[in-house]
């Protein structure tokens, strides 16, 4: 709007009112205000009709709207101008309906602004007006002024044609956080204005919020903050914005999605928000972000869920499913936050979380990460305390979370000590808070115990038991301190300390701390007194608190910021201190029990019935009587227990008696009244109580009374006279009492018991069946259904055992008679009389009792010695009983006795038979039992030095002879040539050996092999002259050797010691070694179902077999070393027993016509069904019906009928055609099988002639008397598929089938195809013909077939079977793999290379190879698409000098980057696994260097595949923090073998632990396929980041490791040929894989050691005044030392040094080299010390506080010329400074901002508070900006540019005094100049010459320790 031109003065001169001088910027503010007041008065007095005045003052009016007035910094000026403008609008709007000129409100109704609308610059006027009003408004203005302003602005907005962008910006700028905090009144005014004008502004606002159009930069930067504010004002303002937000949620930019998610989380989560219901598409799109690929997005969504659950419970259903998925997220932080979200909502109101959400938290209590488990457990504990303990939300809420108590206690069963300790903490703080008053505390415990489920009760009991055991260990340790020092005392003390340490967190550190604590105990007697008081039985809970406080106070001196030693001691004290139970607590529990008995307790209110409360209360007291017996000793307590004895509840009385037994040792002397009342009750219970009561009563009398002989006699006499077998129901209690009396007092009652046993127990009770059992056919029935007679017999058997255990001698031979009786019961299947009167279920009970009795007797040495092998076998077979419950109970009994080390080691071998159990759960339970028993025994041996004298009975490996003995005598093992039986034997062996061979401690694998070898030198002691028995023994040994050799690569090493065999089972070894038993069996074996083998005339070929051929595998490595020679001569031999391959000529055979083959194949297809049928009936009563197995029918050849199946094994269900049809091919069974080729296949029978040298023939001819000559048409071997042929052929490319006999469904490694030599191979083929005994014998030359010593065909077949096994075991290592068809004999020409991993190793390495070898196509593949895109772009993902040029020169020619891994592997000759580089990339990319995500195709094409993936340090599980995590290596290996075919070289390029190549090879072998041959090499990289290209082009050496086989050497030569394109041959080193892998670790460890060494000297230099650079130069000139890696700094970083040294430490620990491990661990410790020391020095120089101080950090990479920040020292320096509250300003020329934030936001760095990074850290793009206003400058990376900075400019902008901390010694040459400028300079390893400015604090400031990490300081 413009004023009329004629109204403007001609000269444009401003006329002021009279008395007012000109207002300009030359005058003061006060003068301006004074003159404006007069102007205001003038305009106020003007009338609208004064045309002259209006025209006169028009220029003045326009002048007042200028920037000078509207933006004047003086608010009074702006206010006066606003008043003027208001009057100006009034004056120049004559049509305005004003009635009162003094009311500013009327301005809004005046249309004076119409004049402004007509002006050209009206928008500027409005903008200035709005800005003025927003700037002048303040608290002094009343509501009337606010309303006038609001009316004015809203009218302008609504009456105009539209709202301009600038005007809208002037309103919205007041909503952003910065302006909002500066002027709250302007913020409120803008909010109200927007509410009034929402309809007008809504259409204009999208330009700012969506398109980002704004005249104010602040608005563009705070768009999402603005949207949040507008949504809070009125959601309708965002109607046009919401669709755009939905679009941005689907953006490809992860950061943009994250920002939108954060915004929407606030909008959806706002308390009164209805956005989710009003905009469902946006809500669903937002929910989809819960599954975002970007981790921060998912994390933000999970955090939002907490607010959403609390503010919008109706949305819980939508969130539940997404939270479920996120509760299984691979990211630990996300799973953690899911728990926090749910628990936070639950603590606010339990109704906000449903059962499903609580279930997610419940699942996470078993998470693999400790942080997640801890959060879940603590969260549930808090909910339990709030809703169950405090009942804050009523009974319904308490019922909803009642399961928490059980779940938390169940976690005590976990193996982790951290879990156990946390459960104890939760129990003491949340479930039964220890700070409650005693009465309230015990009430809480009383009712908690009554509500727990059985498993939780066991866990709680176990917890008290463990705490009591730990108290006992500490008590014994204190007792050792009282003894005089000695070597034995020190050894015992060390054992106690190790045991105590294992019950504390981090046992490794705990051992060191406990040693220190033990040393303090030895020096401080007062401390020992306090500790003795703490663990004394009479210590009360209050006394315990005092003791703990005193002990910690003593150990806390001198005070330290952090004291891990003190924290560890606190853990120990908390575990052994009585925080709940003392005499007062027991008294309170007894009172509660009395109230429950009297009916006055609050049982019903607590949700427990009175009976349950009484029973559980007695059980609780019973448990506590074991752990705190002294606390029970009071008359009041015992009186209450006497009342319990009189109750009818059997369990209550039993528990009360047991409490008396445990606690009543002083009753007789101190409480005679209790004694007189107790004795009659105990007598009554022993005579007429329940069996359990009788047992406890007898034991109670024996334990607490001095005249126990008299008391027991008073019970024994009447009971012995009242025995009557005709009334069995009255026999049970007397039998129990008599048995326990005879066991406790054998001297008094042994003789009377003998007559009772002989005349009554055996003759009258056990040998008679008076009643007829139930014939329902069930194998088991409930306890209440068992007949009284059977129960009496069971207790009679137990009486026999107790009687013998009491005597502990066999002078009367009673034990022999008893053992024969028990054996007879097992043989008769439980029916001793064999009258068939008793039922199947009763027989099961008696078998269980008999087996358990033999096992119980074997625990006593005098009886164990007389148990015969036959009796041991009978008792062992109970574990395979046909009744499920018998197997289950017996296995548990054996397990418990073994765990307590009460049972001889041989009984552990029984568990091998569990492999035959058809129930998967039983097999799994047996395996768990084995694992626990083996670990307990090994732990016991480690902790007890004296145990080494009893290794025969303790060492788990010595179970193998017993296992072999049991399997050789297994009744199911009847036909050594039956493949199914052999497979069962193999399964049983592997079931035990798998657990034993988990670890190869002290070369135990070689020990096992040696043991089995030694067994083969002996005979079966049970039947040494029985060939059949010995034959089975040797077959089991051969299979055991096969398993051991096939599963271990170290078993051929030297055994640590010579095993000792039990003479009870094996004879002394024969000398010389006996000939193969399988070759000397002279009894013909019938083979049924076979057609005769027809031979044609003229096809005979003579062959010789050495008579001393041995079926054993070779010992040591000699057999392997002779493998090459054997291949030339056709013989494979060891030192004593040569095995010669014979010339074999196959002939035409006649196929077998068998109609039942197909039917059997279909019948055996389901493995689990087949095994379930043949072994045992299920556990159900209905399914446990006894079925009579079909008897075996005689074979077609007239073989003998098999004997009746033995008892104790589940009945085998046999289908038609399954009996003795070994000729039929089986396709079922356990394990995957491959069909053997038929005769028509190309791999059919072929002629094979193996030449034997003449000299050897002559030698054999001389041995003719001791040998047999054989002429075989074809040597045959019965395999797993029924009939298989074992052929020896000379054809080098014959197809080799795997030995299916030993396949196993549970094994991860299928047996490889068998290869004997390159000239002769071992084949297994399916046969359709057979040679009968008679026909074969008729054609054998030599002695008459009728002679006893002649060979029969089955004997020949078995001999060849053993020979085959020997040859298989003797094969070289290279022959274990698949068929080597097409395998190159000379180095293969590499044309295509695939590298998996485009990181710091793979990219640069392959770029240089492509650059140096233009004729080789190099493909680099990676799953990370963004990384591959970067490699294919101009901006490479990593920075290395010279890399970019190389990449660009080769990329697209012979260098390719891809994500298609599989195809790359298939096509490659060589496969690398490594990290990546830049200059070389650009030179090769597009030529012969390709980067791609097409991983599969790249692998498929390559000849060579490099594996260059990350091998990070494990952060969980075993080896956490030290061992390398090989999951990426394994994943690559599996993918390579999956997509590859043909011949390839697979090369590990990553830094890997020793034997990683072996792991890769095992994966390849286990997943082999035809025509696939993968050779594994090790080619570690020795690159240094920053000089990678230089190192690759001119390497110090190239190290290549591979197998020492011809194939391995050929593969090495092929890789050498690639490097020889540019690397001199003398720099290429070839080794074996072990040496190659260890060399890499050792190299990095040595380099790291040098850095730590010079850093340790730097600390010494700073303390003495020496200069570490001068020291380093001096020692570096020594040629023996050299000057490399002697540069002092703030510590080494990077991805390799720390990881590799820790890996080396872990390797040393695993190999039992603790001293070596500690040495290398000190390298890491010194590095961390250097970082802490430097941080402490910074804080010390800055006057001991850096809180709020700006500190500039220059450099964030771990070294110069790289952008890598992994393990950078800058991260740790930043952490220490952030902990002190410092404000960091960080600059690095190559590290992006996101990487710095990510590194500093790690939980270990940010202490779980990522927000503090945004508060304390600023990342700048300019070093001068970083130093602006800083207190100190810290150089953390040695970038060259830091030497050239303008330090005078920096000094001017820094606060004074200004400090420079040179952590890299890059400014050494500038130190003097910097000090002249004014800097205080501090550096590493050198004292500053000019002292720093002295500082005198105003109050005492704690001096920071240079020996520990800095801690937070108080502000001065």
């Amino acid at each position: 709007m413009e004023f009329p031109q004629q109204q403007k003065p001609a000269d444009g001169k401003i006329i002021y009112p009279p008395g007012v001088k000109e207002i300009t910027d030359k005058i003061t503010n006060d003068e301006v205000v004074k003159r404006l007041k007069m102007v205001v008065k003038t305009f106020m007095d003007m009338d609208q009709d004064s045309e002259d005045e209006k025209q006169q003052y028009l220029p003045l009016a326009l002048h007042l709207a200028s920037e000078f007035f509207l933006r004047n910094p003086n608010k009074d000026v702006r206010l006066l101008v606003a008043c003027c403008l208001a009057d100006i609008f009034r004056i120049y709007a004559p049509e305005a309906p004003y009635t009162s000129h003094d009311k500013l409100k009327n301005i809004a109704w005046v249309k004076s602004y119409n004049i402004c609308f007509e002006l050209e610059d009206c928008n500027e006027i409005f903008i200035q007006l709005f800005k003025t009003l927003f700037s002048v408004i303040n608290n002094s203005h009343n509501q009337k002024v606010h309303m006038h302003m609001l009316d004015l602005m809203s009218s302008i907005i609504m009456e105009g044609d539209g709202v301009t962008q600038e005007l809208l910006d002037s309103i919205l700028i007041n909503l952003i956080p910065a302006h909002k905090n500066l002027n709250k009144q302007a913020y409120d005014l803008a909010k109200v204005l927007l509410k009034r004008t929402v309809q007008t502004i809504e259409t204009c606002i999208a330009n700012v919020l969506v398109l980002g159009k704004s005249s104010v930069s602040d608005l563009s930067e705070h768009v999402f903050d603005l949207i949040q504010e507008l949504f809070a004002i009125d959601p309708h303002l965002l109607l046009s914005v919401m669709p755009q937000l939905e679009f941005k949620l689907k953006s490809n930019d992860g950061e943009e999605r994250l920002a939108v998610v954060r915004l929407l989380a606030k909008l959806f989560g706002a308390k009164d928000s209805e956005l989710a219901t009003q905009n469902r598409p946006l809500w669903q799109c937002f929910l989809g972000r819960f599954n975002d690929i970007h981790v921060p997005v998912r994390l933000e969504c999970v955090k939002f869920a907490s607010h959403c659950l609390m503010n919008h419970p109706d949305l819980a259903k939508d969130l539940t499913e997404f939270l479920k998925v996120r509760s299984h997220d691979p990211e630990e932080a996300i799973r953690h936050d899911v728990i926090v979200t749910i628990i936070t909502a639950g603590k606010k109101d339990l109704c906000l979380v449903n059962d499903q959400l609580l279930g997610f938290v419940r699942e996470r209590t078993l998470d693999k990460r400790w942080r997640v488990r801890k959060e879940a457990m603590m969260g549930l504990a808090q909910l339990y305390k709030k809703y169950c303990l405090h009942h804050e939300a009523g009974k319904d809420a308490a019922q909803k979370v009642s399961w928490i108590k059980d779940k938390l206690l169940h976690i005590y069963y976990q193996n982790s000590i951290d879990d156990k300790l946390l459960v104890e903490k939760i129990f003491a703080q949340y479930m039964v808070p220890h700070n409650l008053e005693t009465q309230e505390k015990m009430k809480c415990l009383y009712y908690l115990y009554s509500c727990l489920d059985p498993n939780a009760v066991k866990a709680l009991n176990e917890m008290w038991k463990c705490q009591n055991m730990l108290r006992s260990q500490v008590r014994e340790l204190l007792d050792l301190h009282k003894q005089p020092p000695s070597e034995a005392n020190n050894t015992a003390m060390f054992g106690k300390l190790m045991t105590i340490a294992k019950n504390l967190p981090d046992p490794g550190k705990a051992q060191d701390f406990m040693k220190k604590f033990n040393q303090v105990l030895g020096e401080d007697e007062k401390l020992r007194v306090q500790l003795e008081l703490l663990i004394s039985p009479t210590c009360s809970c209050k006394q315990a608190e005092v003791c703990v406080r005193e002990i910690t106070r003593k150990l806390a001196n001198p005070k330290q910021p952090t004291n891990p030693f003190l924290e560890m001691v606190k853990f120990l004290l908390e575990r052994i201190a009585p925080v709940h139970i003392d005499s007062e607590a027991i008294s309170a529990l007894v009172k509660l029990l009395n109230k429950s008995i009297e009916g006055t307790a609050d049982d019903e209110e607590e949700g427990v019935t009175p009976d349950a409360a009484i029973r559980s209360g007695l059980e609780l007291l019973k448990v506590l009587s074991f752990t705190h017996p002294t606390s029970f000793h009071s008359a009041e307590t015992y009186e209450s227990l006497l009342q319990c004895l009189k109750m009818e509840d059997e369990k209550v009385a039993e528990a009360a008696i047991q409490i008396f037994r445990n606690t009543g040792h002083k009753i007789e002397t101190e409480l005679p009244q209790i004694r007189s009342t107790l004795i009659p009750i105990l007598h009554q219970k022993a005579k007429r109580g329940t069996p359990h009561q009788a047992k406890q009563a007898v034991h109670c009398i024996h334990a607490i009374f001095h005249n126990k002989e008299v008391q027991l006699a008073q019970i024994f006499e009447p009971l012995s006279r009242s025995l009557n077998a005709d009334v069995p129901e009255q026999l049970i209690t007397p039998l129990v009492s008599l048995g326990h009396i005879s066991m406790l007092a054998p001297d008094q009652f042994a003789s009377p018991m003998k007559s009772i046993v002989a005349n009554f127990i055996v003759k009258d009770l056990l040998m008679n069946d008076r009643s007829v059992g139930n014939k329902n056919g069930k194998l088991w029935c409930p306890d209440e259904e068992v007949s009284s007679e059977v129960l009496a017999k069971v207790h009679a058997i137990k009486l026999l055992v107790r009687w013998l255990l009491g005597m502990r001698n066999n002078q009367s031979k009673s034990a022999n008679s008893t053992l024969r009786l028990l054996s007879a019961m097992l043989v008769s299947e439980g029916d001793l009389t064999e009258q068939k009167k008793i039922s199947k279920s009763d027989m099961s009970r008696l078998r269980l009792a008999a087996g358990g009795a033999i096992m119980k007797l074997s625990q006593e040495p005098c009886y164990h010695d007389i148990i015969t092998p036959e009796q041991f076998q009978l008792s062992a077979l109970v574990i395979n009983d046909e009744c499920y419950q018998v197997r289950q109970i017996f296995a548990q009994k054996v397990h418990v006795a073994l765990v307590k080390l009460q049972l001889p080691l041989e009984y552990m071998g029984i568990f091998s038979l569990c492999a035959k159990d058809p129930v998967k759960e039983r097999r799994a339970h047996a395996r768990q039992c084995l694992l626990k028993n083996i670990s307990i025994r090994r732990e016991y041996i480690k902790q007890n030095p004296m145990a080494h004298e009893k290794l025969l009975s303790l060492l788990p490996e010595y179970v193998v002879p017993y296992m072999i003995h049991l399997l050789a005598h297994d009744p199911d093992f009847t036909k050594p040539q039956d493949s199914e039986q052999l497979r069962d034997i193999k399964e049983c062996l592997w079931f035990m050996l798998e657990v034993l061979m988990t670890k190869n401690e002290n070369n135990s694998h070689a020990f096992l092999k040696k043991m089995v070898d030694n067994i083969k030198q002996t005979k079966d002691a049970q039947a040494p002259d029985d060939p059949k028995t010995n034959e089975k023994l040797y077959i089991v040994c051969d299979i055991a050797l096969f398993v051991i050799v096939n599963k271990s690569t170290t078993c051929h090493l030297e055994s640590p010691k010579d095993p000792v065999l039990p003479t009870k089972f094996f004879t002394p070894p024969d000398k010389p070694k006996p000939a193969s038993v399988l070759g000397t069996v002279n009894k013909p074996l019938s083979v049924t179902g076979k057609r005769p083998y027809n031979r044609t005339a003229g096809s005979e070929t003579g062959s010789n077999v050495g008579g001393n051929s041995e079926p054993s595998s070779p010992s040591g490595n000699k057999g392997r070393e002779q493998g090459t020679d054997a291949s030339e001569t056709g013989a494979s031999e060891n030192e004593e027993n040569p095995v010669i391959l014979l010339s074999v000529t196959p002939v035409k055979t006649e196929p077998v016509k068998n109609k039942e083959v197909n039917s059997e194949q279909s019948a055996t297809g389901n493995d689990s069904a087949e095994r379930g049928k043949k072994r045992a009936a299920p556990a159900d009563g209905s399914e446990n019906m006894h079925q009579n197995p079909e008897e075996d029918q005689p074979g077609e050849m007239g073989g003998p009928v098999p004997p009746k199946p033995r008892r104790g094994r589940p009945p085998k269900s046999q289908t038609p055609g399954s009996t003795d049809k070994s000729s039929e091919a089986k396709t079922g069974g356990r394990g995957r099988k491959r069909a053997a080729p038929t005769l028509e296949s190309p791999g059919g029978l072929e002629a094979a002639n193996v030449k034997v040298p003449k000299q050897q023939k002559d030698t054999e001819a001389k041995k003719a008397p001791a040998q047999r000559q054989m002429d075989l048409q074809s040597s045959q071997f019965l395999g797993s598929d029924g009939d298989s042929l074992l052929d020896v052929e000379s054809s080098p490319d014959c197809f080799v089938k795997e030995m299916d006999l030993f396949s196993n469904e549970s094994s991860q490694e299928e047996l490889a195809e068998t290869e004997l030599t390159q000239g002769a191979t071992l084949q297994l083929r399916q046969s359709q013909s057979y040679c009968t005994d008679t026909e074969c014998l008729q054609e054998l030359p030599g002695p008459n077939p009728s002679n006893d010593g002649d060979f029969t065909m089955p004997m020949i077949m078995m001999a060849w079977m053993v020979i085959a096994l020997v040859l298989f075991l003797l094969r070289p290592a290279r022959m274990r793999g698949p068929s080597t068809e097409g395998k190159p004999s000379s180095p293969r020409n590499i044309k295509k290379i695939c590298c998996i991993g485009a990181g710091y190793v793979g990219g640069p390495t392959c770029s240089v190879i492509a650059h140096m070898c233009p004729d080789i196509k190099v493909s680099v593949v990676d799953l990370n698409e963004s990384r591959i895109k970067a490699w294919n772009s101009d901006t490479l993902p990593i920075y290395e000098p010279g890399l970019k040029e190389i990449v660009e020169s080769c990329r697209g020619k012979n260098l390719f980057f891809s994500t298609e891994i599989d195809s790359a592997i298939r096509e490659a000759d060589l496969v690398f696994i490594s990290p990546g580089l830049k200059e070389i990339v650009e030179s090769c990319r597009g030529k012969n260097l390709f980067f791609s995500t097409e991983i599969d195709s790249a692998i498929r094409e390559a000849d060579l595949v490099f594996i260059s993936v990350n091998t990070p340090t494990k952060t969980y599980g075993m080896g956490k923090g030290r061992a390398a995590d090989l999951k990426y290596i394994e994943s690559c290996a599996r993918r390579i073998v999956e997509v590859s075919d043909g011949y390839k070289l697979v090369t590990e390029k990553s830094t890997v632990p020793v034997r990683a190549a072996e792991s890769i090879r095992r994966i390849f072998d286990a997943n082999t396929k035809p025509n696939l041959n993968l050779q594994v090499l090790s080619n570690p990289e020795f690159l240094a980041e920053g000089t990678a290209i230089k190192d690759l082009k001119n390497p110090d050496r190239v190290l290549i490791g591979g197998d020492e086989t011809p194939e391995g050497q050929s593969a090495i030569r092929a890789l050498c040929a690639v490097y020889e394109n540019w690397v001199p041959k003398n720099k290429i080193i070839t080794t074996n894989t072990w040496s190659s892998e260890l060399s890499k670790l050792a190299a990095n460890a040595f380099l790291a050691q040098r850095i730590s060494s010079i850093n340790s000297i730097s600390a010494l230099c700073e303390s003495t005044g020496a200069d570490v650079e001068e020291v380093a130069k001096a020692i570096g000139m020594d040629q023996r030392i050299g000057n490399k890696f002697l540069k002092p700094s703030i510590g080494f970083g990077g991805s390799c040094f720390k990881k590799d040294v820790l890996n080396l430490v872990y390797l040393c620990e695993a190999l039992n080299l603790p001293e070596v491990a500690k040495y290398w661990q000190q390298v890491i410790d010194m590095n961390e010390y250097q970082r802490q020391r430097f941080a402490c020095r910074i804080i010390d120089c800055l006057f001991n506080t850096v809180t709020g101080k700006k500190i500039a950090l220059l450099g964030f990479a771990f070294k110069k010329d790289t952008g890598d920040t992994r393990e950078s020292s800058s991260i740790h320096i930043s952490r220490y400074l952030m902990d002190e509250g410092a404000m960091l300003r960080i600059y690095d020329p190559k590290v992006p901002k996101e990487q710095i934030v990510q590194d500093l936001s790690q939980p270990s760095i940010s202490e779980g508070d990522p927000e503090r990074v945004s508060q304390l850290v600023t990342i700048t793009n300019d070093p001068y900006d970083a130093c602006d206003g800083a207190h100190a400058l810290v150089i953390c990376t040695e970038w060259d540019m830091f030497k050239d900075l303008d330090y005078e400019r920096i000094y001017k902008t820094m606060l004074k005094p200004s400090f420079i901390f040179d952590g890299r010694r890059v400014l050494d040459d500038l130190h003097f100049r910097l000090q002249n400028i004014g800097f205080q300079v501090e550096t590493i390893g050198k004292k500053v010459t000019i002292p720093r400015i002295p500082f005198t604090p105003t109050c005492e400031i704690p001096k920071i320790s240079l020996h520990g990490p800095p801690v937070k300081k108080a502000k001065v």
Side-chain angles (χ1 to χ4, degrees), residues 851-898:
I854 295 177
M855 181 197 69
K856 193 75 174 176
L857 288 174
S858 65
Q859 298 178 24
E860 188 61 43
C862 65
Y863 302 135
H864 169 254
D865 295 339
I866 65 172
I867 294 178
T868 65
E870 292 84 353
Q871 292 166 349
F872 168 61
Q873 295 156 19
L874 282 171
S875 63
L877 292 174
V878 178
I879 208 166
N880 271 357
D881 194 88
E882 61 183 343
C883 177
Y884 174 85
Q885 287 79 4
V886 172
R887 303 199 302 275
Q888 182 182 35
I889 298 171
F890 183 75
Q892 186 63 24
K893 287 178 179 291
V894 173
H895 169 62
V896 171
L898 285 170

Side-chain angles (χ1 to χ4, degrees), residues 86 183 607 790 1544 1746:
N183 193 339
V790 171
K1544 294 186 189 299
V1746 293

Side-chain angles (χ1 to χ4, degrees), residues 807 830 950 1167:
M807 291 192 301
K950 303 178 181 179
D1167 175 64

